[in-house]
Amino acid sequence: MTSTMPSEATAMQTIAHSADAYFHVRVLIGLVTGLGLARLLTGLARFVQHPSRAQIYPPHLVWVIFMLIYIIHFWWFEFGLSIINVWEFENYSFVMLYAALLFFITTLLFPDQMGDYSGFAEYFMSRKHWFYSLLAVVFIIDILDTLMKGQQYFFALGAWYPIKQIGFGLLCGAVMLTNNARMHTGFGLIAIFAELWWIASKFRFLDVS
């Protein structure tokens, strides 16, 4: 009985330190994520506040909605990082890069100024290469983020997961080459429905087991 007490105490201490490290990382992730959500919500408010000046452009709007859903989901699924026992600075930097990339995409959707453009239609098409390139990186970098949580976590998502991520990454590369608004809107709607389905099927509950 007495011989197991130190090991049990050490195990509990390790778990406590792991939880503290995860909380420390999660706070900064939440800060960057919150900035992205605020950017999107403030931008959406423009359509209500100034409907004549900020006219809705369907391709732009559907991708704004997608990013809103994705960032909310990002904060949710990054709870899986809690299973990491020992944090390295490289892992921390990688996760922060992921969060910062999402924030940067929100600044592309809603820039600080629109004076050089007639509206979101002209602006979105002028930045489509940047937007879809960074979005493709997000789809691929998410695979690395998932692998960081362990092989068991990765394989639990099923074979559809890497296919979905790589497929959407390739579609980003294809759609950025066209100015067809219907294709941009259609791709955005597919991405929204796929993300909602993914959340409902795999991430409905906050659980890493």
Side-chain angles (χ1 to χ4, degrees):
M1 180 70 178
T2 55
S3 61
T4 61
M5 290 295 290
S7 61
E8 291 178 358
T10 301
M12 292 299 294
Q13 187 177 28
T14 301
I15 293 173
H17 288 167
S18 175
D20 290 341
Y22 167 68
F23 178 77
H24 182 71
V25 172
R26 189 170 170 83
V27 167
L28 195 52
I29 296 175
L31 177 62
V32 178
T33 304
L35 290 173
L37 284 176
R39 189 93 178 193
L40 293 175
L41 294 174
T42 302
L44 285 171
R46 295 184 199 174
F47 297 127
V48 179
Q49 296 169 340
H50 308 288
S52 60
R53 285 187 293 171
Q55 296 183 353
I56 292 175
Y57 180 55
H60 171 261
L61 181 61
V62 295
W63 283 112
V64 168
I65 294 173
F66 171 80
M67 287 305 301
L68 188 65
I69 296 170
Y70 192 92
I71 290 177
I72 293 173
H73 183 207
F74 170 79
W75 177 244
W76 183 258
F77 69 64
E78 286 297 46
F79 181 75
L81 294 173
S82 62
I83 66 178
I84 298 177
N85 293 323
V86 179
W87 277 88
E88 298 177 356
F89 187 79
E90 291 83 354
N91 292 342
Y92 163 74
S93 299
F94 174 80
V95 175
M96 286 309 305
L97 173 64
Y98 191 176
L101 185 60
L102 294 177
F103 171 73
F104 189 75
I105 292 176
T106 66
T107 67
L108 284 176
L109 289 172
F110 287 111
D112 294 327
Q113 296 181 359
M114 291 276 293
D116 297 334
Y117 304 93
S118 59
F120 281 108
E122 182 184 359
Y123 172 77
F124 182 78
M125 286 302 174
S126 73
R127 290 294 178 270
K128 68 180 187 295
H129 289 90
W130 271 101
F131 174 74
Y132 286 114
S133 295
L134 293 177
L135 191 61
V137 173
V138 165
F139 288 130
I140 302 306
I141 206 173
D142 186 76
I143 296 177
L144 300 178
D145 178 81
T146 304
L147 284 170
M148 192 173 70
K149 297 163 188 170
Q151 291 186 359
Q152 182 178 357
Y153 184 93
F154 180 87
F155 289 121
L157 296 179
W160 169 246
Y161 168 67
I163 295 174
K164 177 178 73 74
Q165 297 303 112
I166 296 173
F168 276 120
L170 293 175
L171 283 174
C172 284
V175 174
M176 75 167 66
L177 301 177
T178 179
N179 288 326
N180 189 313
R182 290 185 178 180
M183 289 190 65
H184 289 278
T185 303
F187 181 30
L189 290 174
I190 291 172
I192 288 173
F193 289 128
E195 189 67 15
L196 290 175
W197 172 81
W198 191 242
I199 293 171
S201 61
K202 295 292 184 180
F203 292 94
R204 185 180 177 187
F205 302 101
L206 199 64
D207 186 11
V208 296
S209 59

